[in-house]
Amino acid sequence: MNTAQPTSSCSHVLLWVRDLHQAVANFRAAGFEVTYATAEARAQHAHIWFSHGPIIELLTTPRHAWLFKWPIDCLAGRGAGRRMLRWAAQGEGFCDLALLCDDAILAPRLKGLAACGVAMGRAVNWRRTCADGSHTRFRFVYPRHDRLPFLVTPYTPAQHPAQQVHPNGATGLAAIVLGVNPADQTALNLLAGDDPLLRLQPATHTGVQAVHITGLAHPLNLHGAQLLGGPTAKGDRHA
């Protein structure tokens, strides 16, 4: 078995916003149910859940995020702090992509990626207190190259709602359009494998360009993010 290849699909698309509370209000006005990841007053993350499959995570970063660059590098490995600063520096819009990896195979996955030349940071254990007071835990690992997607284990306990109905009709992500710099193609393939949701396009910088959402009647551009109707024709996945 090639342990560099993933066994799961996308976990979530990250969307950086300048003001999280304003973004939550705007997405709710556009017909999405949005829940804060932690207590609302100090939250820096919020989620657009679907009943299954990948979700959209809205996030912001502290005003003086540059002060955290070195501590984050110490926590998650070289390149982690640069990744966080890039989220804010590029402005509002999609900023990153998280790929699922089962916790039980995370260690061999990292070993396989390293053997194939994809440098990874440290596995970080994270525990979150949700807005309702419950707790969830997961692990994540950033590649040292700050534009490559990162790995995350499933939330424990699982967080997907059994039924999620959005007033605008959205039922799930049908496709994720991912721009890929040719120099990143090999590493991207090792990280993401043949995930059927990914639509790869040649680009100057590797990163999410748009998402297609099943059930969305009209395209939206919110906080720099293109949200398109779906599903789309599969076509050729590769850039």
Side-chain angles (χ1 to χ4, degrees):
M1 183 179 79
N2 184 352
T3 54
Q5 290 295 323
T7 60
S8 295
S9 58
C10 296
S11 169
H12 53 283
V13 179
L14 285 73
L15 198 176
W16 190 87
V17 297
R18 202 169 308 281
D19 182 325
L20 182 65
H21 299 298
Q22 185 61 59
V24 168
N26 291 343
F27 273 85
R28 285 174 175 171
F32 291 100
E33 292 287 342
V34 187
T35 57
Y36 284 98
T38 57
E40 179 176 343
R42 301 184 66 181
Q44 294 189 339
H45 303 258
H47 294 134
I48 298 173
W49 290 98
F50 301 101
S51 297
H52 57 83
I55 66 171
I56 297 173
E57 179 174 310
L58 310 179
L59 76 152
T60 191
T61 45
R63 184 175 300 175
H64 302 299
W66 61 271
L67 293 172
F68 299 93
K69 181 180 185 298
W70 295 114
I72 290 174
D73 276 349
C74 290
L75 174 71
R78 192 169 72 241
R82 184 171 64 248
R83 179 181 294 261
M84 181 193 68
L85 294 181
R86 174 180 60 76
W87 293 341
Q90 69 185 39
E92 292 196 311
F94 293 122
C95 65
D96 222 325
L97 179 66
L99 303 170
L100 275 174
C101 178
D102 288 340
D103 193 69
I105 65 164
L106 183 59
R109 282 278 335 266
L110 295 177
K111 185 177 180 180
L113 287 164
C116 293
V118 182
M120 303 292 291
R122 302 183 186 91
V124 178
N125 299 312
W126 202 258
R127 188 171 184 264
R128 175 181 289 160
T129 301
C130 303
D132 62 1
S134 63
H135 296 92
T136 189
R137 63 186 186 276
F138 54 93
R139 296 203 288 166
F140 64 88
V141 187
Y142 292 140
R144 289 188 179 175
H145 180 355
D146 67 283
R147 288 189 175 272
L148 289 173
F150 65 94
L151 300 180
V152 63
T153 62
Y155 292 156
T156 305
Q159 301 289 292
H160 279 79
Q163 291 187 334
Q164 179 66 70
V165 179
H166 294 279
N168 61 14
T171 59
L173 297 193
I176 299 166
V177 182
L178 184 67
V180 183
N181 182 293
D184 298 334
Q185 184 74 59
T186 298
L188 189 282
N189 288 342
L190 289 168
L191 282 161
D194 293 320
D195 188 329
L197 283 187
L198 292 182
R199 305 288 182 266
L200 306 188
Q201 302 288 340
T204 303
H205 300 292
T206 297
V208 176
Q209 298 177 339
V211 298
H212 290 263
I213 302 177
T214 301
L216 190 66
H218 305 287
L220 299 169
N221 192 320
L222 290 172
H223 291 270
Q226 289 191 61
L227 311 173
L228 309 174
T232 62
K234 289 190 176 181
D236 185 1
R237 174 192 178 277
H238 297 287

